[in-house]
Amino acid sequence: MVQIEIDGKPVEVKEGTTVINAAHQIGTYIPHFCYHKKLSIAANCRMCLVEIEKAPKPMPACATPVNAGMKVFTKSTKAIEAQKSVMEFLLINHPLDCPICDQGGECQLQDLTVGYGKSNSRYQEEKRVVFHKNVGPLISMEEMSRCIHCTRCVRFGQEIAGVMELGMLNRGEHSEITAFVGQTVDSELSGNMIDICPVGALTSKPFRYAARTWELGRKKSVSPHDSLGTNIIVQTKADEVKRVVPLENEQVNECWISDKDRFAYEGLRSDDRITMPMVKQNNEWIECDWQDALEYVQSGLQGVKADHGADSIATLAHPISSVEELYLLQKLMKDFGSTKIETRLRQVDNQIAPGTNWLGMPVEKLETLDRCLVIGSFLRKDHPLLAARLRKAAKSRLQLLRIDSGSDSWLIDKTQGIKAAPSTWLNVLMELAAAIAHEKGIASPCGQMEIADTTRGFAQKLISGENKAVLIGNTALAHPNYSQIDAIATWIANAVNATIGFLGDGANFVGAQVVGAVSQFGVQEILNSNAKAFVLLNMEPTVDLPDPILAKLALQNAQTVIALSAYASEDLLELADVILPITPFAEQAGTYINIAGDIQTSQASVRPLGQARPAWKVLRVLGGLLDLPNFNFNTVDEVKSSAIGHLGEKVTMPLHESIAVNAQLTPVTDAYERLADVPIHFTDAIVRRSSALKLTVDSKKALKVGVPRKLFEEMNLKEGDAVRISQGESQVVMPVTLESELVDGVIRLSAATPASALLGSMFGQLTLERV
């Protein structure tokens, strides 16, 4: 620690701390543009110039480390004059278009000009003009003449997103920020560049000219689109969501959000929204009032129970649902006599280990890991902000190991992988377990095996290091052999003294387990159970379930299908008998338990659309109509108190227990295997309806079939060629794309898309032929 003085105030800081950070510790603000606490030091705006005793000239506070006895003056005449001179240079070429700029009212340059700018300019020459750039559907670079070259956007791409998509060309007044020739900005974190731009050079395309910042109402909320539970601020005008921006929370999402969290709000006012209850009569949909719709549901459920027993009623709910909704749903079903309720919608292997599947550690602890093994995950797209944490850790100590089919790049340094077809992931893990047992001189759970050098290297890396984790990804959770993957992964974690963790989907992946909205059956068994009634919450069956054909058949064979949904999708209109309009997350208060057990509450940001009602209210009334006890809840807080009131602010979850390892080696075949990811912008009904996200490269790629290089060349294919994919008796024609890193023998065909809804299971064999 060193002692310094800032504006006469003594402060003790760590050696190597910069002057600007030392000033922040005592509440002294130093004006700046290029400095950002999460980015590297650039020192190119010079706005933070301060006077330092004995220094011959003003020094940049962001790039000057403290020394013992240093005396800093941030408001001396010399410092203020230096800052005003910098401001004059910054304003020389800046256009006077504040009245039409989307950044107006929240612009750093605008704010600091009030204190450090002059009322008139000495510059009489023509201002420079920088032509606009088209960098995709999310970020607008229409007014790049406003850019002050702070390079925050460039550094964000390199350091946080892991890919340099923007850079600076030329020098002096000819400098400009641009993308690479012919390229767009496609990172799943790109929208954060809008937030960190201190002027109006980078703005939101969907929000462009939609409102002024002082017109917007603001509510704290939680994004429901992945299991991290990102903290957000929902900004509204005229009872409509206009923008979503991050709410800083160092323990969860730092100050970032993914593009999915930022732009999915467009789906809230989709044309598919339903505002009145709908009942199907003579194969025609009729709008009705709530009383008639609920009595229809009551009659249907009671009739099925009387004729076939309560256990012939099955319930499937998307984990995007709130704790209150899931708690009342499972309570209603169990009190009515049904035990078939499931929220793990893509988990087909129901030999599920005891305990709660969660991350196993606080989110921020990911940055302290030395070793991390990730099994079966599209990490960068499934969990963008967790990937950013691991990317940060890899810059210092983390060695990241991955076992999957090698389809996508995680943009993380020091990553090593074993690529294998999905059916042989179990083989790879068995071999790794045997290698660890051999290295440590302990009994192997899989017997003696031949061990490849790559696997032996993996084992040695996992055994070394102090802080370690083994993470099971979304795709592994959906694997037909998940229970044995889980068993061996848990053995590996215990053998190397690592934490076992799970990367599920939906904001209440953990919350659903906590409130009991899961069963012993699993989704596959429920769909095969010949259920006579289905209750669906916040889901679209042919895109949210692992086998669309099986799901469609099960619902067609049921006597009644009751859907609680905000949207009237094509599959619900075909398969459901009644659709009850419920509110999405922005129109109701709700609670979410994230992947690390943090209990987080979101507020209602706008009023419900039309006659839509929060699902917890619908379930409360339905419980009363079915004469079930203890359904007299008046507020959402009462439901929350009943569900998790005893848990405090964070859930303390039982350690995940393993089941016995009973794995058998999978024979390697010559058939092409399907690898099915759930694309980043297809995870739930709201995201799927965002018009801006539909135009992204990620969304367009999801509508193509990914083929490995060897097969691509053997079939003499070109990008975009049409091919016919067959899975069992089902066929679909799709454009093709080259997946150069995909392992041979595997074809990536995403789930949750219109094309995949016509096919079968997420895993299985495919045939491919040119059209």
Side-chain angles (χ1 to χ4, degrees), residues 13-35:
V13 296
K14 289 182 181 178
E15 192 171 355
T17 301
T18 59
V19 170
I20 197 168
N21 285 328
H24 287 169
Q25 289 186 30
I26 59 170
T28 298
Y29 177 75
I30 298 176
H32 60 273
F33 293 113
C34 68
Y35 169 80

PDB file of all heavy atoms in Angstrom, residues 13-35:
ATOM      1  N   VAL A  13      -3.716   3.466  -1.165  1.00  0.00           N
ATOM      2  CA  VAL A  13      -4.146   2.551  -2.228  1.00  0.00           C
ATOM      3  C   VAL A  13      -3.056   1.520  -2.485  1.00  0.00           C
ATOM      4  O   VAL A  13      -1.912   1.670  -2.041  1.00  0.00           O
ATOM      5  CB  VAL A  13      -4.453   3.313  -3.538  1.00  0.00           C
ATOM      6  CG1 VAL A  13      -5.621   4.253  -3.355  1.00  0.00           C
ATOM      7  CG2 VAL A  13      -3.224   4.079  -4.038  1.00  0.00           C
ATOM      8  N   LYS A  14      -3.422   0.476  -3.209  1.00  0.00           N
ATOM      9  CA  LYS A  14      -2.447  -0.554  -3.568  1.00  0.00           C
ATOM     10  C   LYS A  14      -1.422   0.015  -4.544  1.00  0.00           C
ATOM     11  O   LYS A  14      -1.731   0.850  -5.386  1.00  0.00           O
ATOM     12  CB  LYS A  14      -3.149  -1.743  -4.217  1.00  0.00           C
ATOM     13  CG  LYS A  14      -3.980  -2.573  -3.255  1.00  0.00           C
ATOM     14  CD  LYS A  14      -4.598  -3.757  -3.993  1.00  0.00           C
ATOM     15  CE  LYS A  14      -5.457  -4.587  -3.045  1.00  0.00           C
ATOM     16  NZ  LYS A  14      -6.113  -5.720  -3.755  1.00  0.00           N
ATOM     17  N   GLU A  15      -0.212  -0.483  -4.427  1.00  0.00           N
ATOM     18  CA  GLU A  15       0.837  -0.067  -5.353  1.00  0.00           C
ATOM     19  C   GLU A  15       0.451  -0.482  -6.766  1.00  0.00           C
ATOM     20  O   GLU A  15      -0.027  -1.595  -6.988  1.00  0.00           O
ATOM     21  CB  GLU A  15       2.172  -0.709  -4.956  1.00  0.00           C
ATOM     22  CG  GLU A  15       3.363  -0.122  -5.677  1.00  0.00           C
ATOM     23  CD  GLU A  15       4.686  -0.625  -5.106  1.00  0.00           C
ATOM     24  OE1 GLU A  15       4.653  -1.355  -4.093  1.00  0.00           O
ATOM     25  OE2 GLU A  15       5.720  -0.287  -5.674  1.00  0.00           O
ATOM     26  N   GLY A  16       0.622   0.398  -7.734  1.00  0.00           N
ATOM     27  CA  GLY A  16       0.252   0.109  -9.119  1.00  0.00           C
ATOM     28  C   GLY A  16      -1.124   0.609  -9.504  1.00  0.00           C
ATOM     29  O   GLY A  16      -1.485   0.614 -10.680  1.00  0.00           O
ATOM     30  N   THR A  17      -1.922   1.060  -8.512  1.00  0.00           N
ATOM     31  CA  THR A  17      -3.232   1.645  -8.807  1.00  0.00           C
ATOM     32  C   THR A  17      -3.056   2.914  -9.630  1.00  0.00           C
ATOM     33  O   THR A  17      -2.126   3.685  -9.411  1.00  0.00           O
ATOM     34  CB  THR A  17      -3.979   1.971  -7.499  1.00  0.00           C
ATOM     35  OG1 THR A  17      -4.129   0.781  -6.737  1.00  0.00           O
ATOM     36  CG2 THR A  17      -5.348   2.568  -7.767  1.00  0.00           C
ATOM     37  N   THR A  18      -3.944   3.128 -10.583  1.00  0.00           N
ATOM     38  CA  THR A  18      -3.857   4.359 -11.374  1.00  0.00           C
ATOM     39  C   THR A  18      -4.477   5.518 -10.604  1.00  0.00           C
ATOM     40  O   THR A  18      -5.292   5.331  -9.698  1.00  0.00           O
ATOM     41  CB  THR A  18      -4.574   4.203 -12.717  1.00  0.00           C
ATOM     42  OG1 THR A  18      -5.945   3.876 -12.475  1.00  0.00           O
ATOM     43  CG2 THR A  18      -3.930   3.109 -13.564  1.00  0.00           C
ATOM     44  N   VAL A  19      -4.106   6.725 -11.003  1.00  0.00           N
ATOM     45  CA  VAL A  19      -4.607   7.919 -10.325  1.00  0.00           C
ATOM     46  C   VAL A  19      -6.128   7.998 -10.403  1.00  0.00           C
ATOM     47  O   VAL A  19      -6.796   8.352  -9.431  1.00  0.00           O
ATOM     48  CB  VAL A  19      -3.974   9.184 -10.947  1.00  0.00           C
ATOM     49  CG1 VAL A  19      -4.654  10.443 -10.434  1.00  0.00           C
ATOM     50  CG2 VAL A  19      -2.470   9.226 -10.644  1.00  0.00           C
ATOM     51  N   ILE A  20      -6.714   7.650 -11.555  1.00  0.00           N
ATOM     52  CA  ILE A  20      -8.167   7.769 -11.706  1.00  0.00           C
ATOM     53  C   ILE A  20      -8.900   6.816 -10.761  1.00  0.00           C
ATOM     54  O   ILE A  20      -9.922   7.156 -10.169  1.00  0.00           O
ATOM     55  CB  ILE A  20      -8.590   7.549 -13.180  1.00  0.00           C
ATOM     56  CG1 ILE A  20     -10.001   8.078 -13.394  1.00  0.00           C
ATOM     57  CG2 ILE A  20      -8.485   6.098 -13.596  1.00  0.00           C
ATOM     58  CD1 ILE A  20     -10.404   8.174 -14.865  1.00  0.00           C
ATOM     59  N   ASN A  21      -8.344   5.609 -10.567  1.00  0.00           N
ATOM     60  CA  ASN A  21      -8.966   4.658  -9.644  1.00  0.00           C
ATOM     61  C   ASN A  21      -8.787   5.097  -8.194  1.00  0.00           C
ATOM     62  O   ASN A  21      -9.692   4.905  -7.367  1.00  0.00           O
ATOM     63  CB  ASN A  21      -8.382   3.260  -9.846  1.00  0.00           C
ATOM     64  CG  ASN A  21      -8.909   2.584 -11.100  1.00  0.00           C
ATOM     65  OD1 ASN A  21     -10.054   2.822 -11.496  1.00  0.00           O
ATOM     66  ND2 ASN A  21      -8.095   1.759 -11.730  1.00  0.00           N
ATOM     67  N   ALA A  22      -7.645   5.664  -7.897  1.00  0.00           N
ATOM     68  CA  ALA A  22      -7.422   6.186  -6.545  1.00  0.00           C
ATOM     69  C   ALA A  22      -8.399   7.320  -6.251  1.00  0.00           C
ATOM     70  O   ALA A  22      -8.958   7.415  -5.150  1.00  0.00           O
ATOM     71  CB  ALA A  22      -5.985   6.669  -6.402  1.00  0.00           C
ATOM     72  N   ALA A  23      -8.635   8.178  -7.245  1.00  0.00           N
ATOM     73  CA  ALA A  23      -9.574   9.285  -7.065  1.00  0.00           C
ATOM     74  C   ALA A  23     -10.992   8.767  -6.840  1.00  0.00           C
ATOM     75  O   ALA A  23     -11.739   9.298  -6.012  1.00  0.00           O
ATOM     76  CB  ALA A  23      -9.529  10.208  -8.285  1.00  0.00           C
ATOM     77  N   HIS A  24     -11.368   7.706  -7.562  1.00  0.00           N
ATOM     78  CA  HIS A  24     -12.702   7.127  -7.402  1.00  0.00           C
ATOM     79  C   HIS A  24     -12.916   6.595  -5.990  1.00  0.00           C
ATOM     80  O   HIS A  24     -14.040   6.633  -5.469  1.00  0.00           O
ATOM     81  CB  HIS A  24     -12.918   6.008  -8.418  1.00  0.00           C
ATOM     82  CG  HIS A  24     -13.125   6.504  -9.813  1.00  0.00           C
ATOM     83  ND1 HIS A  24     -13.121   5.687 -10.929  1.00  0.00           N
ATOM     84  CD2 HIS A  24     -13.316   7.761 -10.297  1.00  0.00           C
ATOM     85  CE1 HIS A  24     -13.322   6.412 -12.013  1.00  0.00           C
ATOM     86  NE2 HIS A  24     -13.426   7.670 -11.657  1.00  0.00           N
ATOM     87  N   GLN A  25     -11.839   6.121  -5.358  1.00  0.00           N
ATOM     88  CA  GLN A  25     -11.977   5.562  -4.013  1.00  0.00           C
ATOM     89  C   GLN A  25     -12.383   6.615  -2.991  1.00  0.00           C
ATOM     90  O   GLN A  25     -12.998   6.286  -1.979  1.00  0.00           O
ATOM     91  CB  GLN A  25     -10.669   4.894  -3.583  1.00  0.00           C
ATOM     92  CG  GLN A  25     -10.383   3.602  -4.328  1.00  0.00           C
ATOM     93  CD  GLN A  25      -9.146   2.892  -3.776  1.00  0.00           C
ATOM     94  OE1 GLN A  25      -8.822   3.004  -2.598  1.00  0.00           O
ATOM     95  NE2 GLN A  25      -8.454   2.154  -4.628  1.00  0.00           N
ATOM     96  N   ILE A  26     -12.056   7.863  -3.255  1.00  0.00           N
ATOM     97  CA  ILE A  26     -12.444   8.921  -2.297  1.00  0.00           C
ATOM     98  C   ILE A  26     -13.567   9.793  -2.864  1.00  0.00           C
ATOM     99  O   ILE A  26     -13.852  10.866  -2.344  1.00  0.00           O
ATOM    100  CB  ILE A  26     -11.223   9.801  -1.909  1.00  0.00           C
ATOM    101  CG1 ILE A  26     -10.611  10.466  -3.146  1.00  0.00           C
ATOM    102  CG2 ILE A  26     -10.183   8.993  -1.151  1.00  0.00           C
ATOM    103  CD1 ILE A  26      -9.564  11.524  -2.803  1.00  0.00           C
ATOM    104  N   GLY A  27     -14.192   9.304  -3.951  1.00  0.00           N
ATOM    105  CA  GLY A  27     -15.347  10.015  -4.503  1.00  0.00           C
ATOM    106  C   GLY A  27     -15.016  11.224  -5.337  1.00  0.00           C
ATOM    107  O   GLY A  27     -15.878  12.072  -5.576  1.00  0.00           O
ATOM    108  N   THR A  28     -13.786  11.330  -5.800  1.00  0.00           N
ATOM    109  CA  THR A  28     -13.395  12.453  -6.660  1.00  0.00           C
ATOM    110  C   THR A  28     -13.543  12.046  -8.123  1.00  0.00           C
ATOM    111  O   THR A  28     -12.936  11.066  -8.564  1.00  0.00           O
ATOM    112  CB  THR A  28     -11.940  12.867  -6.383  1.00  0.00           C
ATOM    113  OG1 THR A  28     -11.836  13.317  -5.027  1.00  0.00           O
ATOM    114  CG2 THR A  28     -11.504  13.990  -7.320  1.00  0.00           C
ATOM    115  N   TYR A  29     -14.357  12.788  -8.860  1.00  0.00           N
ATOM    116  CA  TYR A  29     -14.591  12.453 -10.262  1.00  0.00           C
ATOM    117  C   TYR A  29     -13.590  13.174 -11.150  1.00  0.00           C
ATOM    118  O   TYR A  29     -13.401  14.379 -11.032  1.00  0.00           O
ATOM    119  CB  TYR A  29     -16.008  12.845 -10.675  1.00  0.00           C
ATOM    120  CG  TYR A  29     -16.292  12.591 -12.137  1.00  0.00           C
ATOM    121  CD1 TYR A  29     -16.501  11.302 -12.616  1.00  0.00           C
ATOM    122  CD2 TYR A  29     -16.323  13.646 -13.056  1.00  0.00           C
ATOM    123  CE1 TYR A  29     -16.754  11.059 -13.949  1.00  0.00           C
ATOM    124  CE2 TYR A  29     -16.582  13.421 -14.398  1.00  0.00           C
ATOM    125  CZ  TYR A  29     -16.787  12.118 -14.842  1.00  0.00           C
ATOM    126  OH  TYR A  29     -17.025  11.882 -16.168  1.00  0.00           O
ATOM    127  N   ILE A  30     -12.978  12.409 -12.033  1.00  0.00           N
ATOM    128  CA  ILE A  30     -12.076  12.964 -13.042  1.00  0.00           C
ATOM    129  C   ILE A  30     -12.719  12.722 -14.402  1.00  0.00           C
ATOM    130  O   ILE A  30     -13.050  11.569 -14.730  1.00  0.00           O
ATOM    131  CB  ILE A  30     -10.683  12.308 -12.977  1.00  0.00           C
ATOM    132  CG1 ILE A  30     -10.040  12.577 -11.615  1.00  0.00           C
ATOM    133  CG2 ILE A  30      -9.793  12.821 -14.103  1.00  0.00           C
ATOM    134  CD1 ILE A  30      -8.699  11.886 -11.424  1.00  0.00           C
ATOM    135  N   PRO A  31     -12.962  13.764 -15.197  1.00  0.00           N
ATOM    136  CA  PRO A  31     -13.637  13.562 -16.498  1.00  0.00           C
ATOM    137  C   PRO A  31     -12.818  12.649 -17.408  1.00  0.00           C
ATOM    138  O   PRO A  31     -11.576  12.674 -17.384  1.00  0.00           O
ATOM    139  CB  PRO A  31     -13.728  14.987 -17.058  1.00  0.00           C
ATOM    140  CG  PRO A  31     -12.668  15.761 -16.361  1.00  0.00           C
ATOM    141  CD  PRO A  31     -12.556  15.166 -14.983  1.00  0.00           C
ATOM    142  N   HIS A  32     -13.515  11.828 -18.171  1.00  0.00           N
ATOM    143  CA  HIS A  32     -12.827  10.874 -19.044  1.00  0.00           C
ATOM    144  C   HIS A  32     -13.770  10.395 -20.133  1.00  0.00           C
ATOM    145  O   HIS A  32     -14.993  10.485 -19.993  1.00  0.00           O
ATOM    146  CB  HIS A  32     -12.321   9.669 -18.240  1.00  0.00           C
ATOM    147  CG  HIS A  32     -13.412   8.919 -17.547  1.00  0.00           C
ATOM    148  ND1 HIS A  32     -13.869   9.263 -16.297  1.00  0.00           N
ATOM    149  CD2 HIS A  32     -14.167   7.855 -17.939  1.00  0.00           C
ATOM    150  CE1 HIS A  32     -14.846   8.446 -15.940  1.00  0.00           C
ATOM    151  NE2 HIS A  32     -15.059   7.589 -16.914  1.00  0.00           N
ATOM    152  N   PHE A  33     -13.210   9.870 -21.202  1.00  0.00           N
ATOM    153  CA  PHE A  33     -13.982   9.240 -22.266  1.00  0.00           C
ATOM    154  C   PHE A  33     -13.472   7.840 -22.584  1.00  0.00           C
ATOM    155  O   PHE A  33     -14.240   6.890 -22.633  1.00  0.00           O
ATOM    156  CB  PHE A  33     -13.953  10.085 -23.549  1.00  0.00           C
ATOM    157  CG  PHE A  33     -14.661  11.395 -23.422  1.00  0.00           C
ATOM    158  CD1 PHE A  33     -13.965  12.591 -23.462  1.00  0.00           C
ATOM    159  CD2 PHE A  33     -16.040  11.439 -23.264  1.00  0.00           C
ATOM    160  CE1 PHE A  33     -14.619  13.803 -23.340  1.00  0.00           C
ATOM    161  CE2 PHE A  33     -16.708  12.647 -23.149  1.00  0.00           C
ATOM    162  CZ  PHE A  33     -15.994  13.830 -23.179  1.00  0.00           C
ATOM    163  N   CYS A  34     -12.190   7.685 -22.814  1.00  0.00           N
ATOM    164  CA  CYS A  34     -11.681   6.386 -23.267  1.00  0.00           C
ATOM    165  C   CYS A  34     -11.534   5.386 -22.121  1.00  0.00           C
ATOM    166  O   CYS A  34     -11.576   4.180 -22.339  1.00  0.00           O
ATOM    167  CB  CYS A  34     -10.353   6.541 -23.993  1.00  0.00           C
ATOM    168  SG  CYS A  34      -8.966   7.051 -22.941  1.00  0.00           S
ATOM    169  N   TYR A  35     -11.415   5.873 -20.893  1.00  0.00           N
ATOM    170  CA  TYR A  35     -11.267   4.967 -19.750  1.00  0.00           C
ATOM    171  C   TYR A  35     -12.576   4.234 -19.464  1.00  0.00           C
ATOM    172  O   TYR A  35     -13.655   4.817 -19.484  1.00  0.00           O
ATOM    173  CB  TYR A  35     -10.837   5.750 -18.512  1.00  0.00           C
ATOM    174  CG  TYR A  35     -10.925   4.945 -17.227  1.00  0.00           C
ATOM    175  CD1 TYR A  35      -9.930   4.042 -16.880  1.00  0.00           C
ATOM    176  CD2 TYR A  35     -12.027   5.077 -16.386  1.00  0.00           C
ATOM    177  CE1 TYR A  35     -10.015   3.298 -15.716  1.00  0.00           C
ATOM    178  CE2 TYR A  35     -12.124   4.339 -15.210  1.00  0.00           C
ATOM    179  CZ  TYR A  35     -11.118   3.448 -14.879  1.00  0.00           C
ATOM    180  OH  TYR A  35     -11.213   2.709 -13.737  1.00  0.00           O
TER     181      TYR A  35
END
